[in-house]
Amino acid sequence: MASVSAGASAARTPSAASQGASHPSAPVPDVLREAVAEASRQGDAGPGTALRLLRGSARAAVAVGRRTVAVAALAALWEVLPRLEAVDPTFLPPLSEVVVAWWDLLLSGQLLDHTQASLVRSLAGFALAIVVAIPLGLLIGWYKPLADLLNPLLELFRNTAALALLPVFVLILGLGETSKISIILYACAWPILLNTIAGVKGVDPLLIKSARSMGLRPLRLFQKVILPAAVPTVFTGVRLAGAYSILVLVAAEMVGAKAGLGYLINYAQFNFRVPDMYAGIITISVLGLAFNQLLVRLERRFSTWRTS
Amino acid sequence: MKIRFQGVGKEFRVRGAERPFTALHDVDLDVRAGEFLTLVGPSGCGKSTLLDLLAGLAAPTTGRILLDGVPVEGPGLDRGIVFQQYALFPWRTALSNVEFGLEAKAVPRKERAERARSYLDLVGLSGFEDRYPHELSGGMRQRVAIARSLAFDPDVLLMDEPFAALDAQTRESLQEELLRIWQKTGKTVLFITHGIDEAVYLGQRVAVMTSRPGRIKRILDVEFDSREGDLRADPRFGEYRHEVWTLLRDEVAAARAEEAVSVG
Ligand SMILES: Nc1ncnc2c1ncn2[C@@H]1O[C@H](COP(=O)(O)OP(=O)(O)OP(=O)(O)O)[C@@H](O)[C@H]1O
Ligand SMILES: [Mg+2]
């Protein structure tokens, strides 16, 4: 039972991170760039240049420091509390032990194998979800009769937790890769589908009117107005789906898998290799975080025109 | 291109209401080719509706609208519209917004950019080609919208309170710019406004509408001996202004009374 709750809390990390990451504040590289720009603004290397560079990088360092202070504090607590036996070190070994376990897993090649197995599943489900859900969402959003017909169904399914259906997927598709990728596909498809529909429906009617007044026929209208206007909303869905793909993955891999990070976590817990378990959890958190960062970057590139 | 409204009426079906809602009733109006006509009327009298009909975005319930004798069948690039809220595409830069109508007209890519550039220049926006709408001020956005409507070279320019949201200075400079462009291009302009000053300043004729259901109440010829200098200081400007004001006052009062009845 402990493994499930531990796994769940780790899996929740990507979505929490996604909220933090979508905050408009600039990521670290921007801060660095600012520092360099600030330093080079002087142009010709005058006597002040070195000082400026120093000051600029000091400011960047402070900014980086502020961002990492909470994580550092958590790491410190994780190290100290078990050592002081404020918490039971058998269940929560100090961070350093976990890091050593993680390093051993890495050297033995196991970590890479598990990560690869997980990534393949996640990315396959995620990619398939994009391929299926975006066209479907565009169709439903654009073609009103279809939307009216499907809406009750959509409402029903969107309010059913994907993981509640995992047993059904296993029952029908077996314990193999198909059911795992399918459940990820299923979970990822919803945010993409719903956001795409919302994106298409939410296009400013005035823009449609304006384009129509310039003689655009429905198909061109769709291509030139509806589609570009919906891109940011669609991308929000894609980003959410990215988080879901990791979230659901762990649960899917705890049932009848022979590889994958979810399997590693579950297996380690079962065999009481607690540091390995935490090593797996950390890996999956970092993976989710990295994936989310990547999608946030992409999202920003695709919606530079957005005011907010 | 001349415009003729013949007994044009428009009714809307309103949810939950038994009888349809009459926005326009029996509108007759002729706009001469190359004329600058301004249209004023109390809020809700159907000015925007009239423009939608002329643009071909909606069909009249009764009557018909003729462009050079040909009934309006739908939207077309012979008419360019400037909306009150700019209606620029936020994902396109200023230049590419101006190119939009040219794409619809299938102008080759290279010529498109050239023409868009020259029209942005015409409205005084060279140097802002690569800005997105949210990076422009309200007045600049409206100028992009005007450039967009001019760029595909429509015969008729339809403008729905295009300067309403702007500050007085920006509005005046855009008014002058618009007059300059109109004189240069010789397009027929139908300009809707709330502002009496604006109507008298811009229009060769001012059409005053009644309160809802809207009809044309009076058409006023506006003539100045010369348009040079400060037109607003001309004594005749004051006279025209007062005349339009008097015509409108009764209609606005009627519209208020109507609103009070329907609310109370
Ligand atoms: N699609 C619609 N359905 C129902 N009623 C409508 C519709 N469009 C406009 N109306 C009604 O028709 C009347 C005229 O509207 P319109 O927008 O043409 O007024 P307007 O003269 O442009 O007013 P304003 O000066 O405030 O812009 C209004 O009472 C409005 O409520
Ligand atoms: Mg209006």
Side-chain angles (χ1 to χ4, degrees):
Chain A
M1 219 47 233
S3 76
V4 172
S5 66
S9 72
R12 221 172 280 133
T13 319
S15 68
S18 82
Q19 278 157 13
S22 61
H23 195 72
S25 74
V28 181
D30 277 3
V31 175
L32 285 171
R33 210 178 303 140
E34 265 165 39
V36 174
E38 160 99 354
S40 58
R41 212 164 285 151
Q42 196 68 352
D44 305 316
T49 308
L51 194 67
R52 244 161 236 281
L53 193 63
L54 210 64
R55 209 181 293 152
S57 43
R59 203 177 302 158
V62 168
V64 172
R66 212 171 347 177
R67 267 165 241 257
T68 46
V69 71
V71 180
L74 177 72
L77 275 180
W78 191 347
E79 183 63 34
V80 172
L81 289 184
R83 287 207 184 279
L84 296 177
E85 308 229 339
V87 294
D88 191 342
T90 8
F91 297 131
L92 184 69
L95 181 59
S96 51
E97 279 178 36
V98 175
V99 171
V100 169
W102 186 87
W103 186 246
D104 288 342
L105 280 172
L106 184 72
L107 288 186
S108 70
Q110 282 183 65
L111 194 64
L112 229 61
D113 290 345
H114 289 303
T115 306
Q116 196 188 359
S118 287
L119 266 181
V120 167
R121 287 175 190 138
S122 263
L123 290 180
F126 176 69
L128 284 172
I130 289 179
V131 171
V132 172
I134 291 183
L136 197 63
L138 292 176
L139 196 70
I140 297 175
W142 178 237
Y143 190 57
K144 198 163 180 310
L146 195 62
D148 292 342
L149 190 74
L150 291 181
N151 205 35
L153 218 58
L154 295 180
E155 280 302 316
L156 187 68
F157 276 101
R158 73 185 290 185
N159 288 305
T160 308
L163 283 180
L165 292 173
L166 182 57
V168 181
F169 276 76
V170 171
L171 204 61
I172 295 174
L173 299 169
L175 278 170
E177 290 302 297
T178 321
S179 72
K180 290 183 179 47
I181 293 179
S182 299
I183 188 79
I184 294 170
L185 158 65
Y186 176 84
C188 290
W190 287 103
I192 301 178
L193 184 70
L194 295 172
N195 273 283
T196 307
I197 295 174
V200 172
K201 280 191 172 166
V203 180
D204 184 352
L206 185 65
L207 295 183
I208 297 180
K209 196 170 165 180
S210 167
R212 239 169 34 89
S213 81
M214 285 184 263
L216 257 71
R217 309 248 154 245
L219 214 63
R220 297 298 298 284
L221 189 72
F222 188 81
Q223 175 206 345
K224 296 222 165 207
V225 180
I226 313 269
L227 218 51
V231 163
T233 324
V234 173
F235 229 95
T236 306
V238 170
R239 188 162 53 75
L240 280 174
Y244 284 16
S245 74
I246 305 279
L247 240 124
V248 177
L249 169 83
V250 181
E253 284 178 343
M254 286 182 179
V255 187
K258 285 183 210 65
L261 291 168
Y263 164 79
L264 171 69
I265 294 166
N266 207 25
Y267 175 86
Q269 187 265 344
F270 200 72
N271 292 289
F272 220 75
R273 289 161 58 176
V274 178
D276 282 4
M277 180 183 87
Y278 284 110
I281 294 173
I282 288 178
T283 309
I284 206 125
S285 296
V286 170
L287 210 63
L289 195 67
F291 195 31
N292 190 258
Q293 277 296 315
L294 186 78
L295 290 173
V296 166
R297 288 276 157 84
L298 269 175
E299 183 178 20
R300 223 174 269 158
R301 277 197 64 160
F302 274 103
S303 47
T304 41
W305 51 269
R306 258 195 175 177
T307 354
S308 50
Chain B
M1 187 175 263
K2 58 174 190 284
I3 306 164
R4 163 163 289 179
F5 290 88
Q6 273 181 343
V8 170
K10 178 69 182 174
E11 292 178 350
F12 290 108
R13 313 219 145 271
V14 189
R15 271 167 295 118
E18 302 221 331
R19 281 180 298 126
F21 178 95
T22 310
L24 292 171
H25 181 70
D26 205 15
V27 173
D28 286 304
L29 176 66
D30 279 308
V31 187
R32 300 179 209 121
E35 181 178 25
F36 200 126
L37 185 116
T38 49
L39 187 66
V40 291
S43 182
C45 75
K47 301 182 294 293
S48 300
T49 307
L50 199 69
L51 192 119
D52 276 1
L53 296 178
L54 178 54
L57 293 168
T61 318
T62 61
R64 53 185 197 155
I65 301 167
L66 304 171
L67 287 170
D68 273 346
V70 183
V72 169
E73 294 281 347
L77 288 166
D78 51 350
R79 286 147 287 158
I81 308 185
V82 180
F83 295 96
Q84 182 177 346
Q85 298 91 350
Y86 322 129
L88 296 177
F89 303 109
W91 57 89
R92 285 175 165 244
T93 60
L95 189 76
S96 137
N97 258 290
V98 178
E99 285 181 21
F100 193 90
L102 299 171
E103 289 167 26
K105 214 176 172 180
V107 174
R109 181 186 293 267
K110 188 146 176 287
E111 196 191 329
R112 222 152 60 200
E114 261 165 39
R115 245 161 88 177
R117 229 173 266 282
S118 74
Y119 277 97
L120 275 180
D121 187 40
L122 183 73
V123 296
L125 278 183
S126 26
F128 292 90
E129 289 88 352
D130 296 327
R131 297 275 191 103
Y132 286 96
H134 77 265
E135 298 168 326
L136 298 169
S137 74
M140 289 169 158
R141 285 180 217 179
Q142 196 54 287
R143 279 188 274 169
V144 175
I146 293 172
R148 180 175 65 183
S149 295
L150 289 171
F152 55 84
D153 197 25
D155 297 314
V156 181
L157 208 55
L158 308 174
M159 310 182 89
D160 193 354
E161 303 188 30
F163 305 150
L166 306 177
D167 65 275
Q169 275 76 35
T170 314
R171 188 183 312 136
E172 280 184 22
S173 79
L174 282 184
Q175 286 169 349
E176 271 167 45
E177 223 162 310
L178 179 63
L179 279 180
R180 189 171 52 76
I181 291 169
W182 166 67
Q183 277 156 356
K184 205 164 121 185
T185 56
K187 294 185 191 307
T188 311
V189 182
L190 181 60
F191 188 103
I192 295 173
T193 174
H194 264 131
I196 300 174
D197 278 18
E198 186 169 64
V200 173
Y201 179 72
L202 290 175
Q204 293 177 298
R205 290 193 297 159
V206 180
V208 182
M209 285 180 78
T210 66
S211 61
R212 198 182 58 80
R215 277 176 297 107
I216 303 297
K217 179 173 183 170
R218 267 279 287 287
I219 300 179
L220 213 75
D221 281 294
V222 178
E223 268 160 30
F224 295 105
D225 300 329
S226 140
R227 289 197 71 97
E228 298 297 306
D230 186 4
L231 212 58
R232 293 177 179 88
D234 194 311
R236 303 188 66 178
F237 188 91
E239 286 165 28
Y240 288 129
R241 196 187 172 289
H242 182 72
E243 204 168 340
V244 176
W245 182 82
T246 315
L247 286 168
L248 265 179
R249 186 189 50 187
D250 303 341
E251 293 309 323
V252 171
R256 289 262 164 78
E258 151 101 5
E259 258 169 41
V261 168
S262 62
V263 170

